[in-house]
Amino acid sequence: FLTAGNVIHALKGEQDLRYMGGLRGKMPKTYWLMTIGGWSLAGAPGLAGFFSKDAILVAVSGQPAVFAGVLLVGLLTALYTGRMLHGIFYGPYDRDGHEAHGVMLHTLWPLAAGSVLAGWLYSHD
């Protein structure tokens, strides 16, 4: 979510996904940070989000209706996250943007690393 702020800042306040796109080459660090965060949010295996979604599914496994609802919400999360990543970094517009600097960028690296590290550590329990 913080990387979304970097994108909005780079596009001078634009928040409409329909008018974003083509930022992968212009914002490579934000691209990787947002991709790691998006994959974790979507529950990609090996990242912290996968294990939190797994724990929720285990907790509701005895309730079929709730389990199905949680699966549906997880699927929708993966779909809208993929749509967001595609729209911002590969979308039809070729927007002028710039990479964030300083606090706006450097505070995000520990969060991305934490998602990867927590996923790796948890998977080795």
Side-chain angles (χ1 to χ4, degrees):
F1 292 104
L2 294 174
T3 54
N6 285 357
V7 172
I8 293 167
H9 174 74
L11 298 179
K12 298 178 175 83
E14 181 63 66
Q15 295 185 35
D16 193 335
L17 186 61
R18 296 174 295 176
Y19 302 112
M20 296 181 183
L23 294 176
R24 182 174 184 219
K26 296 171 184 157
M27 301 179 73
K29 294 173 186 171
T30 299
Y31 166 75
W32 283 110
L33 290 165
M34 195 171 220
T35 299
I36 291 168
W39 286 351
S40 185
L41 178 67
L47 297 173
F50 173 80
F51 297 103
S52 65
K53 287 190 182 343
D54 181 59
I56 293 168
L57 287 169
V58 168
V60 299
S61 62
Q63 303 169 40
V66 176
F67 186 82
V70 170
L71 276 178
L72 177 63
V73 168
L75 175 65
L76 292 174
T77 301
L79 290 173
Y80 79 69
T81 302
R83 179 179 180 263
M84 175 197 64
L85 289 170
H86 182 270
I88 292 170
F89 297 108
Y90 299 101
Y93 283 85
D94 189 18
R95 296 293 304 255
D96 288 330
H98 58 84
E99 189 67 80
H101 298 287
V103 174
M104 284 186 71
L105 184 67
H106 300 303
T107 56
L108 301 175
W109 288 107
L111 297 171
S115 178
V116 173
L117 184 63
W120 187 81
L121 289 174
Y122 193 78
S123 67
H124 289 82
D125 278 349

